[in-house]
PDB file of all heavy atoms in Angstrom:
ATOM      1  N   LYS A 968      52.720  37.683  34.427  1.00 97.00           N
ATOM      2  CA  LYS A 968      52.420  36.330  34.751  1.00 97.00           C
ATOM      3  C   LYS A 968      52.066  35.522  33.470  1.00 97.00           C
ATOM      4  O   LYS A 968      51.075  34.688  33.642  1.00 97.00           O
ATOM      5  CB  LYS A 968      51.405  36.156  35.896  1.00 97.00           C
ATOM      6  CG  LYS A 968      51.906  36.795  37.218  1.00 97.00           C
ATOM      7  CD  LYS A 968      50.742  36.599  38.300  1.00 97.00           C
ATOM      8  CE  LYS A 968      51.244  37.207  39.537  1.00 97.00           C
ATOM      9  NZ  LYS A 968      50.299  36.942  40.702  1.00 97.00           N
ATOM     10  N   GLY A 969      52.836  35.746  32.490  1.00 97.00           N
ATOM     11  CA  GLY A 969      52.647  34.921  31.219  1.00 97.00           C
ATOM     12  C   GLY A 969      51.537  35.569  30.360  1.00 97.00           C
ATOM     13  O   GLY A 969      51.348  35.003  29.183  1.00 97.00           O
ATOM     14  N   ASN A 970      50.822  36.658  30.762  1.00 98.00           N
ATOM     15  CA  ASN A 970      49.874  37.210  29.910  1.00 98.00           C
ATOM     16  C   ASN A 970      50.554  38.473  29.115  1.00 98.00           C
ATOM     17  O   ASN A 970      50.846  39.535  29.840  1.00 98.00           O
ATOM     18  CB  ASN A 970      48.754  37.734  30.792  1.00 98.00           C
ATOM     19  CG  ASN A 970      47.969  36.590  31.399  1.00 98.00           C
ATOM     20  OD1 ASN A 970      47.158  35.918  30.755  1.00 98.00           O
ATOM     21  ND2 ASN A 970      48.272  36.401  32.599  1.00 98.00           N
ATOM     22  N   PRO A 971      50.771  38.382  27.818  1.00 98.00           N
ATOM     23  CA  PRO A 971      51.528  39.352  27.095  1.00 98.00           C
ATOM     24  C   PRO A 971      50.599  40.572  26.823  1.00 98.00           C
ATOM     25  O   PRO A 971      49.343  40.527  26.871  1.00 98.00           O
ATOM     26  CB  PRO A 971      51.862  38.825  25.826  1.00 98.00           C
ATOM     27  CG  PRO A 971      50.862  37.789  25.598  1.00 98.00           C
ATOM     28  CD  PRO A 971      50.417  37.240  26.943  1.00 98.00           C
ATOM     29  N   ILE A 972      51.274  41.650  26.517  1.00 98.00           N
ATOM     30  CA  ILE A 972      50.495  42.870  26.102  1.00 98.00           C
ATOM     31  C   ILE A 972      50.235  42.580  24.649  1.00 98.00           C
ATOM     32  O   ILE A 972      51.145  42.267  23.768  1.00 98.00           O
ATOM     33  CB  ILE A 972      51.343  44.169  26.154  1.00 98.00           C
ATOM     34  CG1 ILE A 972      51.589  44.503  27.588  1.00 98.00           C
ATOM     35  CG2 ILE A 972      50.614  45.366  25.497  1.00 98.00           C
ATOM     36  CD1 ILE A 972      52.532  45.698  27.897  1.00 98.00           C
ATOM     37  N   ARG A 973      49.012  42.654  24.218  1.00 98.00           N
ATOM     38  CA  ARG A 973      48.593  42.450  22.833  1.00 98.00           C
ATOM     39  C   ARG A 973      48.154  43.850  22.175  1.00 98.00           C
ATOM     40  O   ARG A 973      47.935  44.818  22.847  1.00 98.00           O
ATOM     41  CB  ARG A 973      47.418  41.520  22.739  1.00 98.00           C
ATOM     42  CG  ARG A 973      47.828  40.110  23.386  1.00 98.00           C
ATOM     43  CD  ARG A 973      46.619  39.194  23.328  1.00 98.00           C
ATOM     44  NE  ARG A 973      46.956  37.979  24.085  1.00 98.00           N
ATOM     45  CZ  ARG A 973      47.753  36.966  23.627  1.00 98.00           C
ATOM     46  NH1 ARG A 973      48.323  36.990  22.439  1.00 98.00           N
ATOM     47  NH2 ARG A 973      47.979  35.975  24.469  1.00 98.00           N
ATOM     48  N   ILE A 974      48.012  43.870  20.804  1.00 98.00           N
ATOM     49  CA  ILE A 974      47.757  45.072  20.174  1.00 98.00           C
ATOM     50  C   ILE A 974      46.460  45.639  20.611  1.00 98.00           C
ATOM     51  O   ILE A 974      46.332  46.898  20.754  1.00 98.00           O
ATOM     52  CB  ILE A 974      47.731  44.814  18.623  1.00 98.00           C
ATOM     53  CG1 ILE A 974      49.250  44.658  18.098  1.00 98.00           C
ATOM     54  CG2 ILE A 974      47.111  46.036  17.883  1.00 98.00           C
ATOM     55  CD1 ILE A 974      49.299  44.344  16.646  1.00 98.00           C
ATOM     56  N   ARG A 975      45.401  44.927  20.749  1.00 98.00           N
ATOM     57  CA  ARG A 975      44.178  45.382  21.275  1.00 98.00           C
ATOM     58  C   ARG A 975      44.263  46.050  22.599  1.00 98.00           C
ATOM     59  O   ARG A 975      43.517  46.964  22.941  1.00 98.00           O
ATOM     60  CB  ARG A 975      43.126  44.232  21.488  1.00 98.00           C
ATOM     61  CG  ARG A 975      43.356  43.112  22.473  1.00 98.00           C
ATOM     62  CD  ARG A 975      42.245  42.168  22.732  1.00 98.00           C
ATOM     63  NE  ARG A 975      41.792  41.484  21.485  1.00 98.00           N
ATOM     64  CZ  ARG A 975      40.711  41.605  20.816  1.00 98.00           C
ATOM     65  NH1 ARG A 975      39.917  42.661  21.088  1.00 98.00           N
ATOM     66  NH2 ARG A 975      40.393  40.849  19.796  1.00 98.00           N
ATOM     67  N   HIS A 976      45.237  45.695  23.493  1.00 98.00           N
ATOM     68  CA  HIS A 976      45.402  46.362  24.752  1.00 98.00           C
ATOM     69  C   HIS A 976      45.967  47.754  24.535  1.00 98.00           C
ATOM     70  O   HIS A 976      45.648  48.684  25.329  1.00 98.00           O
ATOM     71  CB  HIS A 976      46.419  45.614  25.667  1.00 98.00           C
ATOM     72  CG  HIS A 976      45.860  44.216  25.819  1.00 98.00           C
ATOM     73  ND1 HIS A 976      46.719  43.125  26.022  1.00 98.00           N
ATOM     74  CD2 HIS A 976      44.568  43.675  25.972  1.00 98.00           C
ATOM     75  CE1 HIS A 976      46.043  42.014  26.176  1.00 98.00           C
ATOM     76  NE2 HIS A 976      44.711  42.268  26.234  1.00 98.00           N
ATOM     77  N   LEU A 977      46.865  47.952  23.533  1.00 98.00           N
ATOM     78  CA  LEU A 977      47.278  49.290  23.238  1.00 98.00           C
ATOM     79  C   LEU A 977      46.204  50.156  22.810  1.00 98.00           C
ATOM     80  O   LEU A 977      46.074  51.347  23.210  1.00 98.00           O
ATOM     81  CB  LEU A 977      48.295  49.279  22.050  1.00 98.00           C
ATOM     82  CG  LEU A 977      49.634  48.429  22.310  1.00 98.00           C
ATOM     83  CD1 LEU A 977      50.570  48.514  21.110  1.00 98.00           C
ATOM     84  CD2 LEU A 977      50.343  48.846  23.511  1.00 98.00           C
ATOM     85  N   LEU A 978      45.330  49.617  21.981  1.00 98.00           N
ATOM     86  CA  LEU A 978      44.257  50.472  21.349  1.00 98.00           C
ATOM     87  C   LEU A 978      43.171  50.859  22.306  1.00 98.00           C
ATOM     88  O   LEU A 978      42.451  51.796  22.116  1.00 98.00           O
ATOM     89  CB  LEU A 978      43.586  49.726  20.250  1.00 98.00           C
ATOM     90  CG  LEU A 978      44.480  49.424  19.012  1.00 98.00           C
ATOM     91  CD1 LEU A 978      43.769  48.369  17.992  1.00 98.00           C
ATOM     92  CD2 LEU A 978      44.813  50.593  18.278  1.00 98.00           C
ATOM     93  N   SER A 979      43.007  49.976  23.468  1.00 98.00           N
ATOM     94  CA  SER A 979      41.935  50.179  24.338  1.00 98.00           C
ATOM     95  C   SER A 979      42.448  50.781  25.755  1.00 98.00           C
ATOM     96  O   SER A 979      41.782  50.947  26.660  1.00 98.00           O
ATOM     97  CB  SER A 979      41.225  48.862  24.628  1.00 98.00           C
ATOM     98  OG  SER A 979      42.086  47.980  25.216  1.00 98.00           O
TER      99      SER A 979
END
Side-chain angles (χ1 to χ4, degrees):
K968 295 183 178 179
N970 297 284
I972 296 175
R973 303 185 187 279
I974 288 176
R975 66 168 63 249
H976 302 146
L977 301 180
L978 298 169
S979 59

